[in-house]
Amino acid sequence: MSKVLDLHNLHFIDLTHTLTPTIPQWGNGCGFQHKNISDYNDYPSNAKFRVQSIEMAAGIGTHMDAPAHCFENGKDIVSLSLEQLIVPCTVISVSEKSHENYSITPEDILEFEKKCGEINKNSVVIFYTGWDKFWHTPEKYRNNLVFPSVSAKAAELLLKRDIAGLGIDTLSADKKDSEFPVHQLILGAGKYLIENIANASLLPETGSTIIALPLKIQHGTESPIRLVGVTPLEAF
C-alpha cells in the first residue's frame, strides 16, 4: 500500500480573503452578490435546504489571472495544470519600505536573494507589501487605485528565474496609469498572476508550498481561488 501523506506534520495557512458584498474591487460598484433563492422554511417536509445563488465578477477577491486574461491564444484557467498550481513559494517582504506609490524593483529581489539564495524555478513569488491591512477598509484599500505595485524590470527578472506565477497583496501587480506591463510580461510568458492575497506575512520567506485552486471555468480568463500555504510544522 502506498504511503499516506502525514498531515499532522504540516501547518496550513489560509491566504484567501472572504468574499462579501462590501469587499474592495477594481471598479466602484459592488462586484459580489450572494443571496438565498430558497430557504429552510420554504420546505414543508423534514428535508430542508437553503439554496443560494452567486453573482460576481470573475476577477474579484483573492483571484488568479490566466494568460488568456490578456492574450487571445493564451492558456485559460482550465488549461493550468495542478503541477503549475501546487508549487514551492517564495515570499519577498517590502512592507517596511513600501507606500502607496511604491514600485517593487529588481534590487528588492536581488537583496532577498543575497540573504535567502536564488529563487527556485517553477515557484510562485509573493510580494508582501503590507497593504492587506486595509482590506476591511475598502475605500483605503482601493485608494482610487493607488497602491504598491511591481515594476516591469522586477517582472523581467522573475521571468529569468522561470517562476510559475507572481502574487501580491494588492488589487493589481500594475499601477492603474500604465499599460499594465507586469500583466503583459507575466501572462505573455504563460505564467499566472494572483492578486489580493491575505496573510502573506504568516508565510516563511522560503520552504513553503502554495495550493492555488481556481474554479474550473471553461474558457475562464480569471477566477476566484482558495489559496492555501503549506509549511512544515518545524518552521514555526
Side-chain angles (χ1 to χ4, degrees):
M1 182 182 290
S2 61
K3 195 177 285 187
V4 176
L5 180 65
D6 185 3
L7 300 181
H8 295 94
N9 293 322
L10 299 174
H11 181 66
F12 296 88
I13 302 168
D14 195 346
L15 304 171
T16 317
H17 287 296
T18 301
L19 291 173
T20 73
T22 61
I23 61 172
Q25 59 158 331
W26 189 263
N28 275 313
C30 178
F32 180 82
Q33 291 293 331
H34 179 220
K35 60 185 178 182
N36 299 335
I37 55 177
S38 65
D39 214 343
Y40 308 121
N41 293 332
D42 297 330
Y43 296 87
S45 68
N46 289 328
K48 299 180 183 298
F49 302 90
R50 174 170 284 170
V51 181
Q52 300 177 318
S53 67
I54 297 173
E55 296 177 19
M56 63 182 178
I60 197 166
T62 307
H63 70 275
M64 177 178 290
D65 294 347
H69 184 45
C70 291
F71 296 92
E72 186 175 356
N73 296 316
K75 281 187 176 182
D76 61 9
I77 288 292
V78 170
S79 301
L80 296 170
S81 69
L82 290 177
E83 287 77 13
Q84 292 173 279
L85 302 174
I86 305 174
V87 292
C89 179
T90 294
V91 179
I92 301 176
S93 176
V94 296
S95 59
E96 291 185 1
K97 53 185 171 182
S98 70
H99 48 78
E100 64 181 24
N101 291 307
Y102 192 77
S103 183
I104 294 162
T105 66
E107 288 69 33
D108 290 319
I109 299 169
L110 294 172
E111 182 180 332
F112 169 86
E113 290 186 325
K114 283 181 183 177
K115 180 176 65 171
C116 298
E118 188 168 300
I119 293 166
N120 291 326
K121 179 180 178 180
N122 295 326
S123 63
V124 162
V125 174
I126 294 175
F127 288 113
Y128 173 65
T129 73
W131 200 252
D132 65 336
K133 66 179 176 285
F134 299 123
W135 181 257
H136 296 292
T137 313
E139 285 187 11
K140 176 60 180 173
Y141 187 90
R142 187 173 183 276
N143 200 36
N144 293 317
L145 303 180
V146 179
F147 41 73
S149 59
V150 181
S151 71
K153 289 189 178 299
E156 288 171 350
L157 177 55
L158 291 179
L159 289 178
K160 290 179 181 177
R161 302 294 187 258
D162 199 14
I163 61 169
L166 182 160
I168 194 166
D169 58 350
T170 66
L171 276 168
S172 175
D174 279 302
K175 295 182 181 295
K176 68 166 183 176
D177 54 349
S178 70
E179 294 295 320
F180 297 90
V182 177
H183 281 71
Q184 298 298 311
L185 287 163
I186 297 297
L187 302 183
K191 317 299 184 179
Y192 55 81
L193 290 169
I194 302 174
E195 295 163 331
N196 296 324
I197 294 176
N199 303 321
S201 62
L202 301 180
L203 288 170
E205 293 175 311
T206 62
S208 66
T209 298
I210 66 157
I211 303 171
L213 300 181
L215 298 175
K216 199 172 182 181
I217 304 169
Q218 185 178 27
H219 308 311
T221 65
E222 305 169 274
S223 174
I225 63 175
R226 189 67 181 261
L227 184 64
V228 178
V230 185
T231 308
L233 276 179
E234 58 263 27
F236 289 85

